[in-house]
Amino acid sequence: MDKKLQIPHILQIGSSSWQDQVELPAGLGWHFFQATTLPSLKEYMEEEEISKFKALILEKPEDLLALGEDLAYFQPYTVFYDQSHELEVPSEELAHLLRLKQAKPWDFSNKHQFLYVLERFLYDNQYGDAFTVRDLRVRPDFAGQQTVLGQHFLQLDGSYGEEFTPIAQWVYNYVYDASRPINFWLEYEKDPSCQLQLRIQFYRFGALGEWVKDAVFSEEEMAQPLELDGAEPYYLAFSLEAKGEGTLTIGALHKRLSHGPLGEMTVGAKTLRDHKRQEIFAYFHPGDMKPPLNIYFSGYRPAEGFEGFGMMRAMGSPFILFSDPRLEGGSFYMGSEELENQITAFIDQHLDLLGFEPKDMNFSGLSMGTFGALYYGALYSPHAILVGKPIVNLGDVAANLKFKRPDEFGTSLDMMQLIIGQVSQEGIGQLNQRFWDRFDQADFKDTILALAYMRDDDYDQQAYPDILEALYELPVRIISTSRAGRHNDASGPIIEWFVTQYKEIMERDFGRNQW
């Protein structure tokens, strides 16, 4: 491939080029124009053999108006303008364009630092995983009580000493290769009577046990993800230190590619967190800012991040993606009242930004994502809820572990422990009821429910009949299909039906046929 097509390209519009003011990063294609001399970008990109621009830098937000249809060459969250030129009341047209591209005001007084942010943090990749408590070893002479809560939490109770002392260590090292910035997030809960700090030890990359330095992070510093962005590769070792006394519950240590100030998990994304340090990832894409707003809940994902981006973007309309990084592959978007309220607040915020009504929304998901689509969709009475392989009786999913799918998806027990606080027969009913308490209050008289289910589902075989029973006497429009097999069978036909229903709703009800 031509090297010119591989290098990142930046378009700057303003009164003078940054090339004359600051040393540009090596291997960066810089293209400068004044707003009055801007050429056709389609012709210019063909002449210069540019496949895409990485970012657009504007001196003034009004310069967006000069691009016209060429604004389509820039992705949302990649447009930046000098905050000193920010308008208090932009024109209606300009305000629309700023929302359309989610343009961000920035302090350009330190251009070198801003270019470093673009170089290091503006990229497309997403990835995250975690060390679990199975990778954790408690100090052998700890005299307190140790309780293993499933596969994802370890509870310690006792005295940790008057000074910070190592209490637990992760047995595996992490290889930081310096190619991309990374960040770390530790799940934990504790009594106020004890304090924590996380120690990271840096060892020379390529050497055997050659220690270089330590970095110690307090609870205050751990209130935000701990970011590592250095040019040198290292082997990293992690240990937890404590002092005081009381109960300490340790969960996963997440490690993720970092986008720094540009977003979490991916550029433009946010992480919703509660006081228990539980998380949900959320991402909004403005599309063309016209109805509908499509909301998609990712399915079970051991690798942390979003799914469905390509499918949702192809529809052309605005969309929201949610992803659940808890436990082994997600905890079905249920959590504390605080965390669940943040999910609805994120939806409300963007519904208001777009000026839409609830009937301008479609909720959707597959497998684990079906719970999120139905659970949160029930609050809004949207235009449609589309699901494939619905799972709603989460207590039954846990109960089916013993006989219907032995040793498969033990995460269901961890979920009961996380949400209900116990693994018991009573917990099965309580976990099921969390869904039905909400669903039974929903108003679906103007909502289309499109459901594709497995007739021999070994996770939640009663999901579809229970939904039908709950809606039996109500004027609800239900579209459904089924396939023979267990939950993880026939994924291809289920997804094909799911996408087909989406296409029909988008074309028939919203006049969209871009697909």
Side-chain angles (χ1 to χ4, degrees), residues 85-201:
H85 291 282
E86 191 168 12
L87 300 172
E88 288 190 16
V89 184
S91 67
E92 185 175 336
E93 180 183 5
L94 179 56
H96 172 77
L97 294 180
L98 292 172
R99 291 194 299 268
L100 183 69
K101 292 302 170 182
Q102 293 294 291
K104 191 176 182 69
W106 204 278
D107 181 3
F108 287 160
S109 60
N110 188 339
K111 294 180 174 59
H112 183 270
Q113 176 61 27
F114 174 68
L115 291 174
Y116 180 83
V117 168
L118 293 188
E119 180 185 20
R120 289 291 284 172
F121 295 104
L122 185 57
Y123 58 93
D124 294 331
N125 295 2
Q126 62 164 11
Y127 182 76
D129 57 30
F131 290 136
T132 70
V133 295
R134 289 171 290 181
D135 308 315
L136 197 63
R137 298 294 179 268
V138 177
R139 191 179 74 222
D141 62 349
F142 175 63
Q145 184 177 0
Q146 302 181 37
T147 306
V148 177
L149 303 174
Q151 297 189 60
H152 293 277
F153 296 95
L154 173 65
Q155 189 175 86
L156 306 179
D157 193 354
S159 176
Y160 309 106
E162 296 181 0
E163 302 295 332
F164 278 115
T165 306
I167 186 64
Q169 183 173 19
W170 284 266
V171 297
Y172 296 111
N173 290 345
Y174 177 81
V175 179
Y176 171 65
D177 64 9
S179 62
R180 291 293 186 196
I182 57 172
N183 62 41
F184 303 102
W185 178 258
L186 176 64
E187 293 182 38
Y188 69 84
E189 291 185 71
K190 68 175 191 63
D191 289 341
S193 53
C194 63
Q195 288 82 50
L196 290 181
Q197 62 184 26
L198 180 69
R199 182 178 296 271
I200 303 179
Q201 295 176 304

Side-chain angles (χ1 to χ4, degrees), residues 42-58:
K42 182 177 185 298
E43 297 176 2
Y44 181 78
M45 292 170 72
E46 289 176 353
E47 292 172 2
E48 297 294 320
E49 298 180 331
I50 300 170
S51 59
K52 66 177 182 179
F53 284 106
K54 181 176 184 177
L56 171 62
I57 298 175
L58 306 171

Side-chain angles (χ1 to χ4, degrees), residues 4 17 30 66 143 175 183 215 219 250 307 313 336 341 349 367 388 390 404 410 486 488 502:
K4 202 169 188 179
S17 175
W30 195 267
V175 179
N183 62 41
E219 291 178 30
I250 309 170
E307 69 177 25
R313 186 174 64 174
S336 66
N341 285 344
Q349 173 192 347
S367 190
K404 288 196 173 182
R486 297 164 298 177
N488 288 320
Y502 239 131

Side-chain angles (χ1 to χ4, degrees), residues 123-389:
Y123 58 93
D124 294 331
N125 295 2
Q126 62 164 11
Y127 182 76
D129 57 30
F131 290 136
T132 70
V133 295
R134 289 171 290 181
D135 308 315
L136 197 63
R137 298 294 179 268
V138 177
R139 191 179 74 222
D141 62 349
F142 175 63
Q145 184 177 0
Q146 302 181 37
T147 306
V148 177
L149 303 174
Q151 297 189 60
H152 293 277
F153 296 95
L154 173 65
Q155 189 175 86
L156 306 179
D157 193 354
S159 176
Y160 309 106
E162 296 181 0
E163 302 295 332
F164 278 115
T165 306
I167 186 64
Q169 183 173 19
W170 284 266
V171 297
Y172 296 111
N173 290 345
Y174 177 81
V175 179
Y176 171 65
D177 64 9
S179 62
R180 291 293 186 196
I182 57 172
N183 62 41
F184 303 102
W185 178 258
L186 176 64
E187 293 182 38
Y188 69 84
E189 291 185 71
K190 68 175 191 63
D191 289 341
S193 53
C194 63
Q195 288 82 50
L196 290 181
Q197 62 184 26
L198 180 69
R199 182 178 296 271
I200 303 179
Q201 295 176 304
F202 292 70
Y203 292 89
R204 185 80 60 197
F205 185 80
L208 186 61
E210 185 181 341
W211 174 84
V212 178
K213 62 180 179 179
D214 280 11
V216 180
F217 300 93
S218 66
E219 291 178 30
E220 290 74 19
E221 290 171 309
M222 287 192 286
Q224 298 297 323
L226 304 175
E227 190 166 286
L228 176 58
D229 175 28
E232 294 295 324
Y234 292 101
Y235 298 126
L236 305 179
F238 304 86
S239 61
L240 199 61
E241 300 176 354
K243 69 177 181 178
E245 61 181 13
T247 301
L248 165 63
T249 303
I250 309 170
L253 175 60
H254 299 267
K255 42 203 195 303
R256 299 158 178 160
L257 292 178
S258 173
H259 295 273
L262 302 182
E264 294 194 63
M265 186 47 64
T266 192
V267 173
K270 294 185 177 180
T271 302
L272 314 177
R273 297 187 176 96
D274 66 7
H275 69 282
K276 296 183 176 182
R277 300 177 67 84
Q278 299 289 302
E279 302 174 300
I280 296 292
F281 298 139
Y283 173 82
F284 167 71
H285 191 292
D288 61 5
M289 302 279 288
K290 300 176 183 177
L293 170 61
N294 294 320
I295 300 175
Y296 181 83
F297 292 82
S298 299
Y300 175 83
R301 286 181 58 89
E304 298 175 11
F306 298 100
E307 69 177 25
F309 181 87
M311 174 181 67
M312 304 305 285
R313 186 174 64 174
M315 299 184 198
S317 66
F319 64 88
I320 289 174
L321 303 178
F322 288 110
S323 183
D324 188 341
R326 297 170 296 164
L327 304 180
E328 185 180 49
S331 191
F332 286 73
Y333 303 95
M334 252 200 319
S336 66
E337 183 179 359
E338 177 189 0
L339 188 62
E340 292 185 10
N341 285 344
Q342 288 189 59
I343 293 175
T344 56
F346 189 87
I347 295 171
D348 293 342
Q349 173 192 347
H350 292 94
L351 198 62
D352 182 63
L353 172 75
L354 294 164
F356 292 178
E357 298 295 328
K359 288 303 175 187
D360 297 321
M361 289 194 292
N362 298 314
F363 284 72
S364 58
L366 297 166
S367 190
M368 185 181 84
T370 65
F371 187 95
L374 291 162
Y375 186 70
Y376 292 96
L379 295 173
Y380 288 91
S381 302
H383 177 76
I385 301 177
L386 305 93
V387 297
K389 302 187 179 182

